[in-house]
Each structure stands twice: as structure tokens, then as C-alpha cells.
Amino acid sequence: MRLAPGVNEADMHAAIQKMVTVVGAEWVFAADEDLDLYRDAYSPLMGERDEKIASAAVAPDSVGEVQQIVRIANEYHLPLYPISTGKDLGYGGSAPVLSGSVVLDLKRMNRILEVDEKNAFALVEPGVSYFDLYRYIQEKKLKVWIDVPDPGWGSPIGNSLDRGSGYSMTSYRNHFDSHCGMEVVLADGEILRTGMGALPGAKTWQQYKTGFGPWVDGIFSQSNFGIVTKMGFWLMPEPEAYLRGEVFVPRYQDMIQLIEKLNLIENGRICGGMMDLYSPLLGAPSPFELQDWLEEGLPSRDPELVSLIAASEIGYSQELEEYALRKSVPYWACSLKFYGSPRIVEAQWETVKEIFTDIPGATFVQGDFIRLPLTEEQKNRIHLPDFSIPSLRQFSLGARSPFNAHPNQGHMWFSPIIPRTGEAVFEANRVLMQAAKDLDLPMVGSFVLPSLFWERSLIWIIGVPVMEDAAVNRKNRESIKKLIRIAADHGWGEYRTAPVYQDAVSDAYSFNNHILRRFNETLKDAVDPNGILSAGRYGIWPRHLRKDLTQ
């Protein structure tokens, strides 16, 4: 059994026996074959001595059982690591940050407590998955949508607390921003309700976010200050229609105006759906195209173009641009999605085309125009998350296929936030692609196009594969830590990262002698003096495990 620092075997066994009396022997797991299920399936430490391994796991069924487990953990100073469904692959999965922690598995707490169609909100427990909530809505024939990530087997609570995102309208894609009210078991076993939930008998817990006084919800995201056992979410009313339009621009420097226009139409709510940047010329696909390519193989390419791309720098050369103009292949493109009544989405698309005509040579193609709800045939040819439908299709990324005979063991995400400008896109590629090359990190393509999940910023994302070769993984881990530092030196910080990099990212947020980390540690010491909750999560360590991370 892997024990956490400061925990002896006798106390561990005593605590486990007390947990058995709370949840029953069938819901406490300590055998190796059971604990293998709580390892990170994409761990970059796989098979190494430092791999993150739990000592045990316990699965409560109710808030009351969570409270009792927390009190037992305090009695024995036993570290707990709460998970909702543990499906956050690429960012740590179900493995604890601190080896030897007891995983507090909340999957049995899977009740959908309320879905209000008229006011478009839901209240759920942490074990509810996106599939569960989607099926519930479909079975009840409710006219509301959930915003889902890709893949969608995780928990709305877990994904929002890690500040994940989805694909539908701007108001719902930021999953933490779309939450409203939460219930939290604190480290001493007390129950806290945020927002209007602090008012006994409140009628608007899922309708008004902030309640009275400081809005504390944010401290429970990407942190270890409490265990969220209920959470409300605002849902999207099912629209009448969906329209997708494509904007194409011919020249490399058009990226600057393209993003300026995208900012205008999103900030002005002319387009409320997810936007996808891609490059027909460079072969950088949209998310939907990428999945097709992974499953069906890469499209054939002109050998002349392949040669020109290979010789380009940061995705550009004069000869490459001349090729694009000669062959009428757009340099950049953007897919835009509109939701609403047919007349509104058509008017929005026409307005967008008028705005983009300022870019010389811009062209437009109207894609799908769908009156909702979808037919079964339509579901077979669309990107399901655009329509609030959870899917596991994303696992085609890196999987074995007729076109990929040597799959990897998963991936590690590197995902800094960069400014929402074309100039920043070029600079990030110049700096980070060169750094990745110098560090011998495996990269896909010659140019990384950022994602537009969030408003007013961009996410520059690469996935570094996890291999069976521990030496390769070790080299890549150290390279990613250096890449984090290089990005930080240019003002680009990670929005989220796997446990193995959380201290490195926390260290990069160093304004005023790491005041943010010191403030978080002050909160940790106040609300969790025994340091029992998720030690080290997002770089927040309890007092007895702290070290000088700046050295």
C-alpha cells in the first residue's frame, strides 16, 4: 500500500475500517486491482517510481456520508482526493496529486435533482455525467440544451470546477461561468451553500448567482478548499434553427483582420456560436475535419504544396502565398455557428458577410442550415457537441486505426492563453514552435491555430503524446516545463494543466513574490488546517507539505 507522507500503516487501517462502517465494505477499495482503476490512464509518469498512486478509494452515496468520511480523515490526518467521474484525461484523470491519498470517488452521487425547462437550469450531483443529463432531458422531452465538452463522458461539476469548456453559444461555453449556486462540504465536515443557497428555503438558488456579500464560488474551482456535492447550471433553450457559415481569406496577413472581425461579431453578439479557425492551405483542420481525418485518413495533397509548407517559416513564405493565390486555396478560414429562429440566424449570417467584405478577397460559403430538432440521419454527419449531444468521438485522437498503426498511450496538454489578435497568433507560433523544435518535442504540422472557446482571448493548444518509453516521457516532461517557463516569459500563462505540471505553472504566476500562491496558502491554512483535501492540487499545498517551489 502506498502511504502519504506522515501517515502510518496502523492509522491508515484504522481509518479504512471506520470508512467501511460509513459506506459498507463493498464501497471501500484497497486491493491493487481496484486501485489500478484510479491511476491516470494518460499518465506521463506511467510505470515510473513517481507515478501518482492512491492508497485506497471510498465511494459515498450521500452528502452525509461525505461529511463522515471528511471527519474520519481529519481524525487521522489522512489526505483525501475527491473526484466526480475521474474522466479528465490529459489533465490527470482520477489519480491524486499526492501519492498515497485516498480517492473520494463521488460517482455514486449521480442524482439529477432538478431540471427546470421554463427557467432553463439544472441542479445535479457530482456523479452525473453529460450523458446522464442529456438522456434525462431527452427522455423528458425537455426543450433545453446542455453545453458539452468533447469527449462528454465526464461530469458537469468536475468539468466546470476545472474550468473546462464546450461548443455551443458564448453564454454557455464557459462551464464555470454558466454555473449558478453550489453546495460544498468543507474540510471540517460543515456544509456551505453559495449564492442564494445561503438563504434557508431560497426559491432562486439556480436563478441568481451571487446572493449577498462576497461571491465565494470561484475559490472552489481549480482548488482544494472544499468538496462540491451539488451544483446548478444554466441551460440553453433549444433553438429553432442552426446555421453554419464559412469565411475564407486569401493572404497570410489577413489573419490580423480576420481575428479583429471575429472579435467584433462575438463581442457584439452578432454571432453567438463557437468559432473555429483553420487553414485549407496549411492543412490545419477544424475540429470536425480533424476527427474525419483521424478516422478516414488524411486527404491527398499536392506534392508542390507539401514541399512549400515544409520550407516555410511560421507557416509563411512568399512562394507559399503565391501558390495559394494561384490555386485559389484560402490561407485562413473560420467556421461560424448561429443559433436562433430561422430569420434571425439568416440575418446574422448576412450581417457577418457584410462585415468581412472589408478584407480584400474574402469569400463565403453557407454550410448546414438545420431546422431543429435533428433527425437521426442528420446526427450522423454533424459535430455532435455543437448540438448539445455528448460523444466519445474525440478518442479517435491518437487511437489505433488503418491510418495509425502505432497509437500512443495518451497525451499531455500544453495550453497557454494568448491575446486575441492575429499578431499574437503569429508571435506564439514563432516563439513556441521554435522552442518546441529546440526542445525536441513532437509537433503536428507547421503552424498551430488557437481555439476560440473563451471570449476575448485565445487558447494555443498542443497535445504531446505519452509513450510506452519512460525515457521519452521523462524528456518530454522536462521539455514541457521549460515551455511553460518560456510562455510565461512572454506573458502567456496556462489556464489548466495536468498534476505533474501544476507546481511549474503555479510558479509562473509569480507577480509580487508569488502573492497569489501565498494568498491561496493562507486560505488553505484557514479552511483546511489539517491539509486533508487534495494536497497539491493546482499548486496549493498544505503547510506540512510545502517546499520552496521557487528554487
Side-chain angles (χ1 to χ4, degrees):
M1 178 181 287
R2 183 79 64 94
L3 296 175
V7 177
N8 63 54
E9 194 166 339
D11 282 350
M12 181 71 189
H13 284 297
I16 290 293
Q17 289 307 307
K18 288 191 176 182
M19 290 180 187
V20 166
T21 66
V22 173
V23 301
E26 68 270 36
W27 299 114
V28 176
F29 310 102
D32 288 344
E33 60 267 28
D34 292 327
L35 294 179
D36 281 346
L37 300 175
Y38 294 97
R39 296 169 73 173
D40 178 5
Y42 285 9
S43 175
L45 296 164
M46 194 175 299
E48 298 184 44
R49 181 179 58 84
D50 292 334
E51 184 180 352
K52 309 301 183 182
I53 304 290
S55 60
V58 56
D61 182 55
S62 67
V63 176
E65 290 181 357
V66 172
Q67 290 178 279
Q68 291 182 70
I69 291 166
V70 165
R71 288 169 180 144
I72 292 167
N74 271 297
E75 181 182 354
Y76 293 96
H77 289 220
L78 185 67
L80 298 175
Y81 193 79
I83 63 170
S84 48
T85 63
K87 304 297 188 185
D88 195 14
L89 299 187
Y91 288 114
S94 56
V97 175
L98 177 68
S99 279
S101 299
V102 174
V103 173
L104 184 64
D105 186 343
L106 303 177
K107 284 197 288 291
R108 292 178 68 210
M109 296 176 61
N110 59 358
R111 300 166 188 88
I112 297 170
L113 301 168
E114 184 177 6
V115 177
D116 186 313
E117 182 181 40
K118 292 182 179 178
N119 288 295
F121 68 76
L123 179 66
V124 300
E125 290 184 331
V128 173
S129 72
Y130 286 100
F131 280 108
D132 294 334
L133 187 52
Y134 173 76
R135 289 172 185 141
Y136 178 95
I137 289 170
Q138 293 303 302
E139 289 167 2
K140 302 287 186 182
K141 300 187 186 312
L142 304 177
K143 300 295 185 181
V144 289
W145 283 12
I146 54 175
D147 188 277
V148 299
D150 203 354
W153 64 349
S155 156
I157 289 182
N159 188 270
S160 68
L161 291 178
D162 265 355
R163 300 208 285 269
S165 63
Y167 289 87
S168 69
M169 291 184 69
T170 308
S171 303
Y172 306 96
R173 283 201 307 274
N174 185 323
H175 292 166
F176 189 77
D177 276 5
S178 69
H179 98 275
C180 187
M182 60 175 71
E183 177 185 88
V184 185
V185 174
L186 299 175
D188 61 0
E190 290 275 15
I191 296 176
L192 168 73
R193 287 188 173 179
T194 69
M196 296 305 294
L199 178 73
K203 304 295 185 184
T204 55
W205 190 18
Q206 274 67 63
Q207 294 168 266
Y208 182 73
K209 293 187 177 187
T210 56
F212 181 77
W215 191 29
V216 300
D217 295 48
I219 69 170
F220 298 107
S221 71
Q222 292 193 1
S223 73
N224 50 17
F225 300 141
I227 302 166
V228 177
T229 51
K230 293 181 180 67
M231 201 163 179
F233 294 94
W234 287 353
L235 305 177
M236 175 177 160
E238 182 179 78
E240 295 178 49
Y242 164 94
L243 185 149
R244 179 173 55 85
E246 311 289 331
V247 179
F248 302 95
V249 294
R251 294 174 175 81
Y252 184 78
Q253 287 296 323
D254 289 339
M255 172 68 76
I256 294 170
Q257 274 193 284
L258 178 64
I259 291 182
E260 288 175 356
K261 302 294 186 184
L262 294 178
N263 293 344
L264 173 64
I265 63 174
E266 182 169 72
N267 296 342
R269 295 300 189 260
I270 299 167
C271 177
M274 177 74 177
M275 303 171 176
D276 293 318
L277 284 170
Y278 61 104
S279 175
L281 181 70
L282 299 179
S286 66
F288 188 49
E289 286 179 319
L290 176 61
Q291 290 179 347
D292 285 342
W293 292 9
L294 292 169
E295 295 166 11
E296 300 170 13
L298 299 178
S300 59
R301 309 208 72 196
D302 180 352
E304 180 189 358
L305 176 58
V306 173
S307 177
L308 288 170
I309 292 172
S312 67
E313 294 287 338
I314 325 174
Y316 174 80
S317 71
Q318 183 177 340
E319 294 78 12
L320 185 57
E321 185 164 274
E322 289 172 353
Y323 176 97
L325 295 171
R326 184 174 76 250
K327 298 280 190 176
S328 298
V329 180
Y331 223 116
W332 311 116
C334 185
S335 176
L336 308 173
K337 293 121 185 181
F338 304 86
Y339 302 89
S341 73
R343 285 192 301 173
I344 287 176
V345 298
E346 288 172 339
Q348 288 173 320
W349 175 230
E350 290 303 315
T351 303
V352 164
K353 288 191 286 186
E354 292 175 9
I355 290 171
F356 277 92
T357 52
D358 286 353
I359 302 177
T363 56
F364 311 93
V365 172
Q366 181 175 312
D368 294 322
F369 177 79
I370 299 173
R371 290 180 181 270
L372 298 165
L374 293 166
T375 66
E376 290 304 311
E377 188 280 327
Q378 287 170 329
K379 290 179 184 179
N380 293 326
R381 61 179 181 82
I382 50 94
H383 183 226
L384 292 171
D386 287 350
F387 294 85
S388 176
I389 303 174
S391 165
L392 296 181
R393 196 180 177 201
Q394 182 73 5
F395 285 108
S396 59
L397 181 66
R400 186 183 303 277
S401 74
F403 315 101
N404 182 16
H406 303 287
N408 55 51
Q409 302 300 305
H411 51 259
M412 304 173 275
W413 293 118
F414 171 70
S415 45
I417 301 294
I418 67 172
R420 197 153 165 167
T421 67
E423 292 91 343
V425 174
F426 293 148
E427 184 186 10
N429 273 277
R430 176 181 60 79
V431 172
L432 298 176
M433 292 293 273
Q434 184 61 51
K437 182 178 179 181
D438 294 342
L439 294 167
D440 193 29
L441 278 171
M443 301 291 288
V444 177
S446 61
F447 193 94
V448 173
L449 280 163
S451 296
L452 294 92
F453 290 115
W454 310 131
E455 296 178 81
R456 302 174 194 269
S457 63
L458 299 171
I459 309 177
W460 198 91
I461 304 178
I462 62 168
V464 177
V466 175
M467 311 303 289
E468 291 184 342
D469 188 326
V472 172
N473 290 337
R474 193 176 305 115
K475 176 191 73 67
N476 287 345
R477 289 198 308 270
E478 293 308 308
S479 294
I480 289 178
K481 289 178 182 178
K482 292 175 182 176
L483 204 58
I484 289 167
R485 184 70 261 167
I486 291 167
D489 289 343
H490 286 80
W492 309 319
E494 303 285 291
Y495 91 104
R496 185 181 181 189
T497 195
V500 71
Y501 307 115
Q502 286 174 1
D503 286 338
V505 173
S506 173
D507 194 51
Y509 282 75
S510 60
F511 170 77
N512 190 16
N513 190 27
H514 299 90
I515 185 63
L516 178 61
R517 185 165 65 205
R518 290 187 285 119
F519 181 77
N520 288 336
E521 290 170 350
T522 300
L523 287 178
K524 183 67 173 172
D525 294 343
V527 302
D528 185 11
N530 291 326
I532 64 161
L533 295 183
S534 300
R537 189 168 191 268
Y538 282 89
I540 305 170
W541 290 92
R543 182 184 287 111
H544 71 283
L545 294 174
R546 275 175 213 151
K547 51 191 173 182
D548 187 356
L549 300 174
T550 64
Q551 298 303 310

